Amino acid sequence: MADSSFDIVSKVERQEVDNALNQAAKEISQRYDFKGVGASISWSGEQILMEANSEDRVKAILDVFQSKLIKRGISLKALDAGEPQLSGKEYKIFSSIKEGISQENAKKVAKTIRDEGPKGVKAQVQGEELRVSSKSRDDLQAVITLLKGKDFDFAIQFVNYR
């Protein structure tokens, strides 16, 4: 019998991020506490730019955006938000969306699987993802349960289960 396998990836649906950003922009334009303070959120190339006239307000914009991401099922571990920076009279926060599992993070996950997972489960790094395979589907389910219980500093999803 052939081995069963699945892939561990760290991907974010760009359309969902775009929807969350549009919802946040709409809420910011309608909220009373953001009226007349130059508050905005928008794409700036591959980054997300948040602007307002005070540090507290720009942090509040980030908070609104984070709540919209959570409602759309996107992990906040995928959001890499910078610190508020003063630019002229405006405060700005640049943030980006992290995708892919770095080599060192993939090695951490593989080590966790080797150390704590069932015997006979193999994990190999393939670019920015990790392929986990085993003869037993029950062992793969145990690995998924194990990894969901761990708190990594990056978002992970399980795809291509076969």
Side-chain angles (χ1 to χ4, degrees):
M1 184 177 143
D3 282 5
S4 299
S5 68
F6 67 89
D7 294 334
I8 301 172
V9 296
S10 181
K11 290 191 174 146
V12 175
E13 190 70 41
R14 171 88 180 200
Q15 186 61 49
E16 289 296 324
V17 174
D18 204 33
N19 290 344
L21 186 129
N22 290 335
Q23 286 177 341
K26 186 174 181 180
E27 182 175 322
I28 289 163
S29 71
Q30 293 174 343
R31 270 182 43 180
Y32 179 75
D33 57 333
F34 288 125
K35 291 277 190 246
V37 297
S40 69
I41 181 170
S42 62
W43 285 105
S44 173
E46 284 297 305
Q47 291 190 317
I48 298 162
L49 171 65
M50 294 162 253
E51 296 178 292
N53 66 355
S54 76
E55 188 173 347
D56 291 338
R57 291 240 166 75
V58 79
K59 285 181 178 177
I61 293 171
L62 177 62
D63 200 42
V64 168
F65 182 53
Q66 287 175 335
S67 72
K68 299 300 179 191
L69 286 174
I70 291 169
K71 284 182 182 172
R72 301 206 68 83
I74 299 170
S75 172
L76 291 183
K77 293 177 182 176
L79 180 68
D80 185 19
E83 289 298 312
Q85 300 167 339
L86 184 60
S87 173
K89 292 182 179 178
E90 296 266 306
Y91 279 88
K92 298 180 179 188
I93 294 179
F94 287 97
S95 62
S96 59
I97 304 296
K98 295 186 287 190
E99 288 195 300
I101 301 175
S102 69
Q103 290 291 325
E104 65 211 36
N105 287 338
K107 287 177 184 173
K108 282 183 200 171
V109 174
K111 182 171 176 18
T112 300
I113 293 169
R114 267 196 319 276
D115 294 349
E116 301 175 33
K119 299 291 177 231
V121 176
K122 295 186 286 289
Q124 59 197 71
V125 179
Q126 296 180 336
E128 292 189 337
E129 57 185 45
L130 196 67
R131 167 79 41 97
V132 180
S133 58
S134 173
K135 294 204 182 307
S136 165
R137 285 177 171 252
D138 291 340
D139 287 351
L140 293 181
Q141 291 289 344
V143 168
I144 289 174
T145 306
L146 168 74
L147 294 178
K148 281 184 178 178
K150 294 288 178 191
D151 186 30
F152 295 108
D153 56 348
F154 53 96
I156 59 173
Q157 295 86 30
F158 307 102
V159 296
N160 297 337
Y161 185 80
R162 45 173 114 69

